[in-house]
Amino acid sequence: MADVSHTRGDMTGHPDAPEMRARYARMLGGRDVALVDGPVFLLGLYCAASPWILHYTTSQPPLVAHNLIMGIAIGVLALGFTNSPERMYGLSGALCALGTWMIISPWIVGSSPDTGVVLNSIIIGALAVVLGMVCIVNATRSTPRA
């Protein structure tokens, strides 16, 4: 009977081998979107929804609109980081600036904020600063040096 079993041969002679190697190198050289851009987007969503989650819509009306706008801005940055990272990662510092503003905003935008509102803004701001720093590190690491 004939031997019809497939043997494991060398793939170097396969016509698609160079293309597969190039695709594999591109995938390994790319950045991991889920580790940075996903949490930034979720932070923006939480920031936009936080006035309704923590129920300070009646006690701090100016902070409601502020958090909604800031959350949308953080979410748009995250979507930009995901869609065109080579152009948008230059704006990673903007995420740090937005985070710093979130930390000090309860006293500037709000009127005598309570502890829950202050803690919420500080946590959102600190996370935005940390994630912005991670984006900056990721951008400098993935930029090819000439």
Side-chain angles (χ1 to χ4, degrees):
M1 191 163 201
D3 184 16
V4 292
S5 63
H6 297 286
T7 59
R8 296 194 185 266
D10 191 17
M11 287 281 300
T12 56
H14 194 276
D16 292 334
E19 180 184 346
M20 289 187 291
R21 273 194 215 100
R23 182 178 298 170
Y24 187 69
R26 250 191 344 263
M27 295 305 289
L28 286 179
R31 33 177 224 91
D32 196 358
V33 173
L35 291 179
V36 180
D37 301 345
V40 172
F41 185 72
L42 290 176
L43 181 69
L45 284 180
Y46 174 74
C47 181
S50 65
W52 293 276
I53 293 172
L54 297 178
H55 303 292
Y56 61 87
T57 55
T58 56
S59 66
Q60 297 290 330
L63 281 175
V64 172
H66 173 267
N67 279 20
L68 181 63
I69 292 168
M70 292 295 289
I72 290 170
I74 292 171
V76 166
L77 272 176
L79 289 175
F81 292 159
T82 303
N83 289 334
S84 57
E86 55 279 342
R87 286 189 281 162
M88 288 294 292
Y89 262 1
L91 291 175
S92 299
L95 187 58
C96 294
L98 290 175
T100 304
W101 172 251
M102 280 300 297
I103 291 172
I104 62 173
S105 66
W107 296 283
I108 296 174
V109 177
S111 56
S112 64
D114 61 350
T115 307
V117 173
V118 171
L119 280 177
N120 183 53
S121 292
I122 289 174
I123 291 170
I124 290 172
L127 285 172
V129 168
V130 167
L131 289 171
M133 292 293 186
V134 170
C135 286
I136 289 171
V137 168
N138 196 10
T140 57
R141 185 186 61 191
S142 65
T143 303
R145 298 191 180 186

